[in-house]
Amino acid sequence: MFWSKKTDKLVQSEHLTLEGQPSVCVLLRPSSRARRLSLRVSKLDGRVTLTVPHGASRREAETFARDRAAWIREHLLNTLPELRPTLGDSIPFQGKLHPLVGDDRRAARIVDGRILLPHGDPNQIGVRLEALLKREARDRLAAASDHYAERVGRSFGRISLRDTRSRWGSCSSQGNLMYSWRLVMAPASVLDYVAAHEVAHLVHMDHSPRFWAQVEAICPDYRAPRAWLRANGTELHRYRFRS
């Protein structure tokens, strides 16, 4: 139990089970930044998360979740199935579907709108494909970060790639940049926007009007790729490359 017995406040994340058909597991996640209780149902894997702001009681959180049990179950019906690509399938690369084709060469590569993968163990297709996407992502994100850092007159630390579901990028207080490598699957303008967004945090470590003015100054057309990511980002996470 991770509630403070004295204050009835959530101290660490814990799970709440909503009884019924079917039963639903809800992750109760404390947040010092949240201003209100909020529910999220992941279309990717059906994970249900209730964000609990500082000051909310256990009773409030449980009542909030139980009152919305029907809403949660309705949204769980929209959970998207995983996609595990293999030869003959297609995956998005820079916003365009590329067929996966067997090839006699030893290294995976992208040629003329196709992704060529070495013949061999079919269990290695996903591993090789993910490695290829990561290499391509690192090259493009490094170039975009360099470009926008020069525009704002700031330097950044290191760049790291992760496979995060909650965010597409981040900028630490030390100036280190983190990106989701899945951005390379989105249109090039989307990857550029995320790089501009994170580099703008080198100037303003918040999301104030000054921050968004900085984003617009270096990436004037950022609104369209931002909207694309909100509408289509979940789809990129459907592709699974490892068991």
Side-chain angles (χ1 to χ4, degrees), residues 27-58:
L27 174 65
L28 305 176
R29 183 175 63 84
S31 172
S32 60
R33 296 187 297 176
R35 297 183 179 181
R36 58 185 177 82
L37 291 159
S38 63
L39 271 168
R40 179 178 180 273
V41 179
S42 171
K43 289 184 178 181
L44 178 63
D45 58 9
R47 184 182 302 173
V48 183
T49 304
L50 173 56
T51 300
V52 182
H54 179 73
S57 69
R58 176 180 184 176

Side-chain angles (χ1 to χ4, degrees), residues 111 122 164 235:
V111 179
T164 54
E235 189 73 16

Side-chain angles (χ1 to χ4, degrees), residues 54-81:
H54 179 73
S57 69
R58 176 180 184 176
R59 177 177 297 180
E60 287 178 274
E62 288 187 346
T63 300
F64 187 89
R66 297 189 197 284
D67 287 348
R68 290 158 178 78
W71 179 91
I72 293 172
R73 290 188 174 93
E74 180 180 350
H75 279 70
L76 284 173
L77 295 175
N78 296 323
T79 302
L80 300 172

